[in-house]
Amino acid sequence: MSDSLPAGAPASDFIREAVKADLASGRFSSVRTRFPPEPNGWLHIGHTKAFTIDFGVAQDFGGVCNLRFDDTNPEKEDQSYVDAIKRDIRWLGFEWGQNEFYASDYYEYLYDLAVKLIRKGKAYVDDLSDEETREYRGTAVPDKNNITHTPPGRNSPWRERSVEENLDLFARMRAGEFADGAKTLRAKIDMAHPNLVMRDPVMYRIRREPHYRTGDAWCIYPMYDFQHPLSDAKEGITHSLCSLEYEIHRPLYDWFIRECDVFPSRQIEFARLNITHTVLSKRWLLRLVKDKVVRGWDDPRMPTLAGLRRRGYTPEAVRDFLSRIGIAKTDSMVDVQLLEHCLREDLNRRAPRVMAVLRPLPLILENWPEGQVDWLDAVNNPEDPGAGTRKIPFSGRLLIERDDFMETPPPKYFRLYPGNSVRLRYGFIVTCTGFDKDPATGQVTAVRCTYNPDTRGGNAPDNSKVRGTIHWLSEAHAVPIEARLYERLFPSERPMDVPPGVDWISTVDPKSEEIVPGAMGEPALAGVKPGDFYQFERLGYFCCDPDGAGGKPVFNRSVSLKDSWAKIEKKNA
RNA sequence: UCCCCGGUUGUGUAAUGGUAGCACGGCAGACUCUGGAUCUGCUUGUGGGGGUUCAAAUCCUCCCUGGGGAACCA
């Protein structure tokens, strides 16, 4: 790779420091990393941090990153997850080429290494049940004063079986001679070890469960602690980057590599990503889906990549976010506003502008020539002159946002109210002369204005200061759309911290999705395709949802514009 | 309780014995045909005590505090 770090280049985080040092010391001569998802769920934004580090570190040092499916638990895994995971990684912009691997392809290799350990007297077949195993390990128990003690573990009565017997038993485990759970293969390390994961960890268990790739070929499956370091070694992974929770497993990782005498991969741990107002755990996300709190795994409010994509997040925005949050070992909670900022920044640069009215209120121009339509120029993107202009129709009967008119305005309100003038964006300056009201409901049904013919295009003649500019549509030309306004799923900054007795799912904001069926848009929106994104002027960024395909277009609000009026309103309240 | 790892401003992250910086958020202002964007300024920070040193966020030590581990899951 051409963009590898020059020898003297500064590393930008502690992992790259370590990699650089390993290269300098000769511990490794090149870099190979891996991203090892288990195909048992959809990728979420927390995973993007992990695989951006995995792929990014490899890339920075001219190395390679393998994609390896860590599929050693047949009960949970499925091909559909494999496909979804690959799709999502590619969406973010990473490619692994030929380097796609499966831990399930290593079963024979792993079996051989297990045999090797048995021969060395470093592994044995144990007959303890799972419950007994736990108890023998010395699990912590509170005493009568409620002080917890961690007793040393006790050796299993089967710990001293002969090598021959272990070899025979292990072969028969594989052959299917024993019931599920009847026996395990365990590493023989130290039942008194202060680190509980070192107390003779289980290497293999018996489970008659068809695997999505190996079918019924195996009834014994390797455990993570045994399988992972050896899979890394098989692929020549130099730096096995993972989250902090595996830190305590590192001595075991190193033990298996040493005892099996294989390639000395190095594990380095970093803090996983947490985001405010969000949950990032497969279990919690699954429940949101199962309880139908959301539309599915790809609901625009979900932090899954599929959800973010449907919401209108761009890969560029997500990658920018990732580059800003940094990498460290401190448990952190990143403000969701940083993510939103990154999206706004990207879309501000790229999204075509268009006018749409969420809650239309008719505006009648009393002095507009009957039946006349004027086609005006509108800028497609003020941030990008190359985006050009378009023609938009203007007429005597318009639609404006209901919020942009008030019968009796509060202080600092400078949109439309009787006697006040506003600019209709790219249109004319208009002055409110009155309004119609439904006597029965008291609701305003139309606003009446006169327009100033000298202000065509929105240009104010000298000295005529107009504070407000509002968006509008020509009623006869407007196309109906559906808008879906999204807010954070959880009002609480830390949804997982709920008081005892409270079910976290009850804290979901029922108004996190608001459907606005009667919205209207300018003619350009008639031909949109799912995935198209726009800025609706003054409202926010919207992305066309697949739901509207073929019929009335549906737009998801990806993120609103910063709204300083909302702030003023809040202050007044 | 034991074992492991952390604690830099509201949040995240730099500073690798030598000026505590950057970003987001928040606040104030400027500007503006999106109350957008942009720009400017401000924003109570090295958890605490001792020690080493000319000099400590950084090294040592004790304490405080947060997270993780104790699955035949990964």
Side-chain angles (χ1 to χ4, degrees):
Chain A
M1 203 146 284
S2 56
D3 54 351
S4 58
L5 275 189
S12 50
D13 58 70
F14 81 96
I15 291 177
R16 276 169 247 252
E17 294 276 358
V19 172
K20 199 171 146 190
D22 285 347
L23 256 17
S25 71
R27 178 171 177 171
F28 297 111
S29 57
S30 63
V31 174
R32 193 171 197 104
T33 59
R34 105 269 90 116
F35 175 54
E38 185 188 11
N40 70 343
W42 294 45
L43 256 28
H44 57 66
I45 188 153
H47 297 110
T48 67
K49 175 177 180 182
F51 69 74
T52 298
I53 291 171
D54 294 332
F55 281 95
V57 166
Q59 204 169 298
D60 285 355
F61 290 93
V64 169
C65 178
N66 291 355
L67 172 60
R68 179 173 74 234
F69 289 95
D70 217 352
D71 52 357
T72 53
N73 182 1
E75 287 162 283
K76 295 182 175 173
E77 297 151 4
D78 194 81
Q79 181 64 36
S80 67
Y81 293 121
V82 170
D83 299 337
I85 288 168
K86 285 159 68 173
R87 174 199 64 198
D88 288 345
I89 298 172
R90 286 205 176 98
W91 177 72
L92 235 229
F94 294 106
E95 206 26 81
W96 52 91
Q98 298 301 301
N99 302 305
E100 178 175 324
F101 303 105
Y102 295 81
S104 54
D105 285 343
Y106 302 155
Y107 285 169
E108 199 65 53
Y109 153 85
L110 293 166
Y111 181 86
D112 290 345
L113 286 173
V115 168
K116 179 175 179 174
L117 288 180
I118 293 172
R119 288 216 161 90
K120 282 180 75 177
K122 297 288 188 175
Y124 62 97
V125 172
D126 194 3
D127 292 7
L128 254 31
S129 70
D130 54 350
E131 216 164 278
E132 289 166 327
T133 304
R134 218 165 327 174
E135 192 211 315
Y136 273 66
R137 184 164 27 234
T139 297
V141 280
D143 67 12
K144 56 180 189 280
N145 297 320
N146 209 23
I147 298 191
T148 317
H149 297 279
T150 308
R154 284 141 51 218
N155 286 169
S156 164
W158 286 277
R159 198 173 194 261
E160 300 306 331
R161 288 212 253 231
S162 69
V163 167
E164 288 66 33
E165 190 183 4
N166 281 323
L167 250 17
D168 174 59
L169 255 16
F170 187 48
R172 288 163 61 193
M173 278 170 65
R174 175 179 182 172
E177 287 189 28
F178 309 111
D180 285 11
K183 286 181 169 30
T184 57
L185 183 72
R186 291 232 256 165
K188 197 172 184 176
I189 305 180
D190 178 3
M191 287 305 288
H193 198 108
N195 181 348
L196 285 289
V197 308
M198 296 295 275
R199 317 246 264 223
D200 289 12
V202 172
M203 294 164 58
Y204 272 93
R205 55 179 177 146
I206 303 173
R207 182 107 290 183
R208 282 172 181 74
E209 178 81 27
H211 185 277
Y212 78 103
R213 293 188 90 240
T214 59
D216 296 322
W218 295 83
C219 65
I220 57 172
Y221 290 94
M223 304 296 292
Y224 171 88
D225 281 320
F226 169 65
Q227 165 271 120
H228 202 88
L230 303 177
S231 296
D232 282 345
K234 181 165 177 57
E235 294 175 16
I237 302 301
T238 56
H239 300 274
S240 185
L241 312 175
C242 61
S243 51
L244 250 27
E245 55 193 307
Y246 294 104
E247 204 161 22
I248 201 160
H249 294 247
R250 182 159 17 104
L252 185 50
Y253 182 98
D254 293 338
W255 188 90
F256 277 118
I257 282 183
R258 193 171 55 247
E259 294 299 337
C260 291
D261 192 27
V262 291
F263 184 85
S265 305
R266 201 240 275 214
Q267 174 179 302
I268 301 176
E269 313 83 11
F270 57 88
R272 59 165 56 201
L273 172 63
N274 296 292
I275 300 182
T276 58
H277 302 284
T278 308
V279 298
L280 292 181
S281 119
K282 280 180 188 171
R283 239 186 69 232
W284 288 41
L285 295 177
L286 180 64
R287 183 152 173 232
L288 288 170
V289 174
K290 286 246 162 86
D291 285 18
K292 301 205 186 308
V293 170
V294 295
R295 291 170 181 272
W297 282 101
D298 65 345
D299 185 283
R301 291 164 292 178
M302 291 285 272
T304 51
L305 288 198
L308 291 168
R309 183 162 55 231
R310 190 170 174 188
R311 174 76 167 257
Y313 270 84
T314 60
E316 290 83 353
V318 175
R319 292 180 68 148
D320 182 33
F321 171 72
L322 264 6
S323 75
R324 290 182 194 232
I325 59 172
I327 305 167
K329 294 188 70 164
T330 321
D331 290 301
S332 61
M333 177 67 71
V334 176
D335 194 334
V336 72
Q337 290 180 101
L338 179 60
L339 217 207
E340 295 170 346
H341 167 83
C342 292
L343 214 218
R344 284 195 188 98
E345 193 156 272
D346 185 37
L347 261 17
N348 177 46
R349 214 162 15 86
R350 303 195 298 157
R353 270 61 168 175
V354 107
M355 289 199 275
V357 173
L358 260 23
R359 296 171 183 85
L361 173 65
L363 181 148
I364 296 155
L365 292 181
E366 294 176 312
N367 58 340
W368 185 263
E370 182 70 29
Q372 182 176 311
V373 174
D374 202 350
W375 290 82
L376 302 164
D377 291 312
V379 174
N380 286 331
N381 185 348
E383 304 293 317
D384 175 14
T389 61
R390 67 187 184 286
K391 293 282 187 190
I392 50 174
F394 188 94
S395 66
R397 201 176 159 87
L398 307 172
L399 298 172
I400 62 166
E401 205 68 62
R402 198 160 269 280
D403 285 351
D404 287 338
F405 171 81
M406 289 192 100
E407 190 178 340
T408 47
K412 289 187 186 163
Y413 183 88
F414 45 85
R415 283 114 94 182
L416 224 38
Y417 52 88
N420 194 43
S421 300
V422 297
R423 172 185 292 107
L424 297 177
R425 172 141 247 232
Y426 302 127
F428 292 85
I429 291 175
V430 299
T431 304
C432 181
T433 53
F435 56 93
D436 301 342
K437 214 173 187 177
D438 181 334
T441 63
Q443 212 195 24
V444 175
T445 53
V447 178
R448 298 186 170 275
C449 293
T450 53
Y451 84 105
N452 179 348
D454 297 334
T455 58
R456 188 173 191 278
N459 301 303
D462 293 347
N463 296 333
S464 91
K465 277 221 167 125
V466 179
R467 230 24 232 287
T469 299
I470 65 173
H471 55 100
W472 54 273
L473 296 168
S474 168
E475 189 177 41
H477 305 267
V479 302
I481 60 172
E482 174 180 315
R484 294 177 181 171
L485 309 183
Y486 290 106
E487 298 287 346
R488 295 161 186 161
L489 206 42
F490 297 95
S492 161
E493 211 169 77
R494 295 164 184 261
M496 53 293 275
D497 293 351
V498 284
V502 174
D503 185 357
W504 62 271
I505 209 155
S506 71
T507 68
V508 166
D509 180 3
K511 288 195 286 229
S512 54
E513 178 186 72
E514 185 190 354
I515 301 202
V516 185
M520 305 290 280
E522 67 177 70
L525 294 186
V528 291
K529 302 183 303 298
D532 287 353
F533 54 85
Y534 292 93
Q535 184 198 108
F536 290 178
E537 297 230 17
R538 299 210 307 137
L539 296 175
Y541 297 97
F542 287 74
C543 181
C544 184
D545 191 89
D547 274 2
K552 183 163 87 170
V554 171
F555 284 93
N556 299 324
R557 185 173 66 194
S558 312
V559 66
S560 64
L561 296 177
K562 281 191 197 162
D563 184 356
S564 52
W565 170 248
K567 223 180 270 177
I568 294 170
E569 247 183 341
K570 210 170 164 186
K571 231 184 267 179
N572 288 344

